[in-house]
Amino acid sequence: MEAYKQEFIEFMVESDVLKFGEFTLKSGRKSPFFMNAGAYVTGSQLKKLGEYYAKAIHDKYGMDFDVLFGPAYKGIPLAVVTAMAFSELYGKEVRYCSDRKEEKDHGADKGSFLGSKLKDGDRVIMIEDVTTSGKSMEETVPKVRGAADVEIKGLMVSLNRMEVGKGGEKCALDEVKDLYGFETGAIVSMAEVVEYLYNRECNGKIVIDDSVKAAIDAYYEQYGAK
């Protein structure tokens, strides 16, 4: 496993973004782990987060893209910090764009988007925190494709939960890929998290011991993507 992935796993635990216990998800599933990207709140956390996203995007998609698109609301800071990190790490200027939930009907920046305008020929990477059902893509992909003649190169999320999406067989990232015809990726998958953290001390304690590992295994027995 790449060093930045190992660092990112520790970073999620230290930032209290990835927690283990018992959580009821929006879907109603009872999960032994929970990820809340809203817990990245400080300047140094956001700077690091942008760097991890930039490294993962560079690994998966290279440099051949023009725009980072972050769906409102959580995707907005992700697109901004990752664009900054790309400039710093790779010397490449990429633009950021996000959608508005409510259209703005006045001022120089009126319309449905924040940041850069999308232009014909733009190559776009979508960026999100986590995709459990792919619902946000249902709303944003048509918006992005409707704004200009763009090519969506792919989607990058921070964690692939690796559980079945709405179709009941594949994980949400694979469903998005099949539905919209672009690549999908994650900084880390839950399998990598478990492999790295199992019986390893992180932030002063072992967060995945035998009992937590058993609960995660049981969860994937029931909800894991085929």
Side-chain angles (χ1 to χ4, degrees):
M1 196 189 307
E2 294 89 334
Y4 78 85
K5 290 185 176 219
Q6 296 177 357
E7 286 170 21
F8 181 64
I9 292 167
E10 293 191 5
F11 173 63
M12 282 195 289
V13 175
E14 286 161 7
S15 303
D16 220 18
V17 165
L18 182 61
K19 302 180 185 190
F20 299 91
E22 192 178 291
F23 308 91
T24 303
L25 305 178
K26 221 186 291 183
S27 60
R29 294 174 186 172
K30 294 254 189 299
S31 172
F33 59 92
F34 182 69
M35 190 210 150
N36 170 28
Y40 297 118
V41 290
T42 69
S44 63
Q45 285 174 335
L46 290 164
K47 182 176 188 293
K48 275 187 186 171
L49 182 62
E51 288 167 359
Y52 291 126
Y53 266 104
K55 286 173 182 174
I57 288 168
H58 185 264
D59 257 14
K60 172 104 181 152
Y61 301 110
M63 307 264 268
D64 295 333
F65 68 97
D66 311 289
V67 182
L68 284 165
F69 187 92
Y73 290 100
K74 279 186 180 170
I76 298 172
L78 295 180
V80 172
V81 297
T82 306
M84 291 165 72
F86 234 88
S87 169
E88 201 168 290
L89 292 176
Y90 303 110
K92 179 176 170 65
E93 293 294 1
V94 295
R95 291 146 38 221
Y96 102 90
C97 179
S98 296
D99 58 327
R100 297 178 190 271
K101 294 280 189 189
E102 311 79 21
E103 184 140 345
K104 188 179 177 191
D105 60 4
H106 61 280
D109 61 342
K110 68 181 183 181
S112 336
F113 296 99
L114 279 170
S116 169
K117 294 268 187 293
L118 292 169
K119 306 191 294 248
D120 288 352
D122 274 343
R123 297 157 306 170
V124 180
I125 302 279
M126 311 285 277
I127 186 166
E128 272 214 302
D129 59 345
V130 65
T131 296
T132 307
S133 68
K135 184 159 172 45
S136 62
M137 290 291 111
E138 272 175 36
E139 296 164 11
T140 50
V141 169
K143 273 190 193 176
V144 170
R145 287 181 169 159
D149 182 14
V150 303
E151 178 195 356
I152 300 179
K153 301 273 290 187
L155 164 69
M156 181 61 69
V157 302
S158 59
L159 177 68
N160 180 0
R161 286 186 61 102
M162 298 177 61
E163 60 199 82
V164 289
K166 290 187 300 186
E169 282 188 20
K170 296 179 174 178
C171 75
L173 285 179
D174 287 339
E175 287 183 349
V176 166
K177 181 179 176 177
D178 290 351
L179 197 55
Y180 301 110
F182 53 74
E183 288 295 317
T184 57
I187 304 176
V188 291
S189 69
M190 204 54 210
E192 289 170 322
V193 170
V194 174
E195 177 198 331
Y196 182 70
L197 285 181
Y198 180 45
N199 280 336
R200 179 194 296 268
E201 197 172 290
C202 180
N203 212 21
K205 61 179 182 190
I206 288 172
V207 286
I208 301 185
D209 57 14
D210 289 344
S211 64
V212 174
K213 170 87 161 52
I216 293 171
D217 289 346
Y219 183 76
Y220 280 114
E221 199 63 43
Q222 189 172 3
Y223 297 117
K226 306 289 178 283

